[in-house]
Amino acid sequence: MGNTTNRDADKRALRARRASSFGAHATAYAEHRPDYPMAAIQWALESILPAAPAPVVLDLGAGTGKLTEGLLAAGATVIAVEPDDGMRIELMRRLPGVRAYEGAAEAIPLADGSVDAIVAGQAFHWFDQDRAFPEFARVLRRGGRFAALWNTDDMRVDWVAGLAEVARSVASTPPPEPGEARLPAHPLFEAFERSEFPHVQRRTAESLAATIGTHSHTLVVSEQQRAEVLRRITEYLRSRPETAEGEFDLPLVTLVLRTRLRTG
């Protein structure tokens, strides 16, 4: 029992370290992380975007504004909320016209019924969902949407699957078993819907290694371990004909989950 308790505590501590690891690397995050395809954003906010000239959308866990930029391009009025000072400062530097506040999914610093939709890019998995969903319901207007988006490597491509193997660090978590991942659910919200959208990011061997260097599992390990992971990645990419020379497209899949606030 004691060993199980200790392992659980270690997992929680590692998760907390990973969740808070990005701020010191905000500039690299902004430079190297991919954007989001417009088709994914439009599906996430379907029925919200056409309903008003500039619907108010909360980008929650906004980071450096990667998703914020796409929301602005889609015609939304965006409010950003981000708990990490370094990430939020980088967002404000890059997007000075966006209102950006310190806050978290579990304590959103906005008034009741003040937004038409909430989106979270690469962030929903860090939220305490038991505390976050009531906050979503509080700040959303009647019939408002919540959507979570993730850019993920397209593991159906052989060289991408191989890259995932060499890119693992001692802080990596094992991928979910087939059928293990379930859609979230909460009584305040309708059943979640899921969709996927093809996407690509133009990279070189060096810039793709830098992108993976902004992932939390490479940020919380020792400098020696981090350097070893990035070395393996670069050597692997230089060994593959698809990625050995110059620029190439990294195949991505953008996963979107969406739901709507119940009105009954």
Side-chain angles (χ1 to χ4, degrees):
M1 181 67 177
N3 288 340
T4 300
T5 301
N6 290 339
R7 283 197 298 270
D8 289 344
D10 290 343
K11 288 179 181 178
R12 289 194 297 271
L14 177 59
R15 176 182 170 82
R17 285 174 57 214
R18 289 181 62 169
S20 61
S21 64
F22 301 107
H25 305 270
T27 301
Y29 191 105
E31 179 180 355
H32 293 293
R33 286 293 184 105
D35 60 6
Y36 294 85
M38 184 55 65
I41 294 171
Q42 290 173 335
W43 187 83
L45 300 178
E46 190 175 22
S47 78
I48 296 293
L49 284 172
V56 179
V57 178
L58 166 60
D59 187 355
L60 188 55
T64 63
K66 283 292 181 178
L67 181 53
T68 309
E69 291 180 296
L71 295 167
L72 292 170
T77 299
V78 185
I79 301 171
V81 168
E82 167 56 44
D84 188 281
D85 290 344
M87 299 288 271
R88 192 174 60 258
I89 290 169
E90 182 66 20
L91 184 152
M92 291 187 292
R93 185 187 70 79
R94 296 174 63 246
L95 301 169
V98 172
R99 286 180 288 166
Y101 301 109
E102 180 181 5
E106 302 79 12
I108 300 172
L110 299 179
D112 296 1
S114 56
V115 300
D116 298 298
I118 302 170
V119 297
Q122 311 292 136
F124 183 57
H125 54 288
W126 300 121
F127 299 167
D128 179 340
Q129 294 183 20
D130 289 340
R131 296 167 57 203
F133 274 114
E135 277 290 271
F136 299 168
R138 180 183 66 79
V139 301
L140 281 170
R141 294 173 182 150
R142 182 179 176 84
R145 275 204 178 276
F146 169 73
L149 298 85
W150 291 269
N151 283 318
T152 64
D153 294 344
D154 189 344
M155 304 298 283
R156 297 167 297 186
V157 179
D158 180 64
W159 74 262
V160 177
L163 174 64
E165 289 299 315
V166 302
R168 294 183 65 79
S169 76
V170 295
S172 297
T173 53
E177 294 296 326
E180 181 181 317
R182 297 180 180 177
L183 292 177
H186 194 277
L188 293 172
F189 288 82
E190 297 176 359
F192 269 85
E193 300 174 280
R194 171 189 174 123
S195 191
E196 295 182 353
F197 300 84
H199 194 31
V200 296
Q201 185 186 23
R202 197 71 174 161
R203 296 279 82 187
T204 64
E206 290 73 23
S207 65
L208 182 48
T211 299
I212 299 172
T214 69
H215 294 180
S216 62
H217 75 91
T218 69
L219 297 177
V220 297
V221 297
S222 71
E223 284 300 319
Q224 181 178 356
Q225 290 169 330
R226 173 181 164 83
E228 171 60 21
V229 171
L230 298 184
R231 182 193 63 76
R232 287 201 313 265
I233 292 168
T234 304
E235 288 185 355
Y236 171 79
L237 293 171
R238 287 176 176 161
S239 75
R240 295 287 307 210
E242 304 93 336
T243 59
E245 296 183 12
E247 292 187 336
F248 54 86
D249 283 338
L250 169 66
L252 300 171
V253 176
T254 301
L255 167 65
V256 187
L257 306 181
R258 72 179 185 184
T259 184
R260 189 188 301 274
L261 183 65
R262 291 189 185 273
T263 56

